[in-house]
Amino acid sequence: MADLVGANGQRENFRIVGKPNTPGKLSYALATGIAKFGIDYVVPNMLHAKFLRSPYANAKVVSVDVTKAKAIPGVVDIVTWEDEDIKNLNSFGESFGPKRPWLDNYAEHEGAEVAVIVVAENEDICEEALRQLDLDWEVRPHLIDIKEGRKQDAPVIREPANEIPGLGGPGMGGGNPPRKGNVTYSNLVAGDIEAGFHEADHVIEYDLYLPPFACRFPNPSGSVAWWSDDFYAGEGRSLHIEGAVRERKAISNMYRMPLEKTVQEGLFMGGKYCDWGLRKSQEITPLLAKRTGRPVRCVNTREESFDFIMKERYMHMKVGFKDSGLITAVDDYSIADGGVEGSSSFGTSGDQRYGPYNTLKCQNIRQRMEIVDSNRGKMYVSGQHCPFNWDSGTMAVYLIAEELNRDPIDIARINLHGPTSQSDPTPVPSFEACVEEGKKLMNWSWHKAGTKRLPDSRLHGMSFRYQMCPRHAFSGYESKLELRDGVVHMATQGPIFGVFAVECNAMVVAEELGLEYDDISIDFDYREKFSPVGGGADGTTASAWVTKECANILKQRILEAVIEEADNPAPPSMFSFGQPQVPSPFKGLKPEDLDMADGKVFVKAEPSKGVPLAQAVKRNLFATYSGMPPLALWTQGMGRMLDTMNTAYCEVAVDTETGEVEILKLGVVADPGKIMRLTSLESQIDQVMYFSQGCQLLEDFCYDERTGVKLNNNMIDYKIPTMLDVPDVDRHFLESRAGNAAYGASGISHSLANTHLIIIAIHNAIGVWVDPPATPDKILEALGKV
Amino acid sequence: MNEVKTEKLGEAWPSVEVRYTHETTQVMAAEVIEKIPPLLTEFRCAYCERVFGSLSELQAHYTSEHPDAVVPRIITLHINSRYCQVLVEPHWTLKRTLQYRLGLTGTKEMCDKGVCGSCTVIMDGRPILSCTTLAVECEGKDIQTIEGIAAELKNKPLIDAYCKWDAMQCGYCTPGFLVTAKALLDKFPEPTEEQIKEALSGNICSCGTYPRHITAIMEASEKMRQGA
């Protein structure tokens, strides 16, 4: 598509955009600990709050007596689900599925907030008060094993479903079988599956296990809120909250507060990894602060922070293909964890509609999913790894290659449709360029499974995957730039979460106005409308497109003002002291005769005639732009048309005596369309590859199935990669300029997140499948050695 | 609880332009340290928020009003080259004390189990985990937090390198890494890549910035040696 309609979309020379090592505008605050995150706030007279957490996986609080707890010195307030204040609460945060009461007496997983909130002078007193509650529990049968839960004789764990369809909620496909027991069905059929298999020369069947994966917020979720009088926003009290996520609108709506009287000034949000759901600890503090008349802090412990960033799924795949390797039919059957009520449909039916097979020429696709209610836990919205069934296709490519003794890159090439449609047989230039560089990067030399032994006797394995970049930026952006006292200011709201989006936008402004990156002043103000994020990396490139338009409007206004001031110089003032005025070199010219570079306004025909920006124009100028770039191809078919692509590679060595896997090399060749900020692009790719490594080699969510209690919701037992675990990621970037956003950028977004790149490499080494996480014991078991 | 005023309520509007540079953050860090009072002047009951003029009065109050409660005690800490009296209960961790008593919020809490390194401070020259260290054990020790490191000009190359190389994404764990890096450089001014990996292996970054730290520390090491 490329950036054909935007100003300077086809720019050839870049001074700033794409440059490495431009420090983040807030990096010094982060590195020095000056940055305050929500849970760091300590305000005078602050109280603390804690939720009652269910010790049971599925239970109801029948009654509670708070008398003893209330009598504890230091307990200030106790609120129960029966309190009118609680009944009146509604969440406006991003969430999926049917709406439950904000807090009730029903706990659907161990550790769930339920029934009671205690407010006290400190957290120790809160905990003591929770211990002193007299609770009458009705413990119900629970369900942790979703394969058991789908059986006819399994106990039904949820009361008849509140069939209010949420955004993308399960069972919305239409024509699905009715819900049965714990199972909701979601089936999608395209083409003629039977004809596809009939056409096939070969049929393969395989199983995949997609493991559950915990959200990994570095800063535990929580907030501090207080109410105060202020004279800026008119009469009535203002709500000040720190630690709520992203935009404060959700809190403003929840408490029916005008947005201008809802304050969230903190600039630092912590890592989100696309998990945008507001936790109760982030929503409750305004109510408790109002009830007590004092600031209230409520923060989840680390143990209380182990929600899902992706849920468990078992898949069985059947794929038909021709002797050429061309896939003719895909039959995808899965049993997915539906989690507790209100869990995100990303991870279940949302993934089905995300186009997992849309990059294929094959159009005979059947997806059947059984979504099983469980008491395992909650996935709030989305996550780093969603959609995560893309690797079902990666495995198909690999297995076809194995069957036909062909290179999987060739199999991928045969099956990838062309740029314009699934019927387009022409190659995708971005894909071709990626694999060409990828082969060089990896010194690619394919071998069949279990056939290559390294000199140290370990088995060698390798793998490959490709993806298109999903684009989520459908919304518009409102950019505002200001030339104030000779300095260009870019206004933006916080808080930030680590993708350096503000910086990308500032680089674009500097590029377009002929300034240096450091010349752009970023005015962080929570009241601003503009936010440079929204929808993954593509959100940044889309906002940068809008900012580019705005910068060019400002540039035009600057040049017009320069000419106007040159032709109409201000009369000498009393402070001129009789000194002669120097005539402007721009007098008599037109705006189109001028340009901007090196911090100066200059005459195009005579570049030596230049004046520093601050001297060339004295007045203050504003420019605004509201809009969005042309929609990305992905939004018009989710992979049925293709522009920018990316590829990832892995090489492992497996010790068959110890079961240890060493990643010898992770490689990524990616085409983000145009590199905007090199250092953070590299770092984001490291991040997603290490996320994926953790998922495939280390991370495991364990339960006691007898009680439904989570066993490893702490950072000792739930392992994530450390510096000693991760390999370097070899990266190579291409700039096809084929994206829809600024300068043809598209971003990478979730596309490199994977669940089976390393798992496939392990199979290629040892010739047998090991489900993730591929820990040494599982590898030895797969090899029949234990 | 006697909390330090790290924020003044309702006074933050309207927001003012702050540019975070090495110079401004150095000043801010020094100001945070400067705000810590050396002597306690008020003694607040943890249960009823009553304030007393001396520890003995507070103790008498506990005896009469909260006989079953643990009585707080005064300890003297030496933090960032300053002595300060702190009122703590015996089970308080150093991390909790830094945040709630001293306003030193650069020391972060992630795991609360001594696993992630986000709460790292330097004690007597060694990096330690403040979430698993009791405050009462820290008397007589020399403690340096991220604020103390940030306030010293000699650490500029390290902080500059962290910012130049984006050795952070969300930045929550970054102070813990930087404190560990400082302790490493104090011990090994010219560390090898393996020494860096080993030293930082107890610091967890969910954003996966690991390779960035190696690059930044290597560069800082060279610049610090050149400047020494």
Side-chain angles (χ1 to χ4, degrees), chain A residues 28 40 263 265 303 526 677, chain B residues 12-13 108 113 160 166 210:
Chain A
Y28 278 95
D40 293 331
V263 184
E265 288 188 311
E303 286 72 16
Y526 69 92
R677 186 173 183 276
Chain B
W13 285 34
K108 305 297 186 189
K113 287 260 189 303
D160 280 347
D166 279 3
Y210 298 128

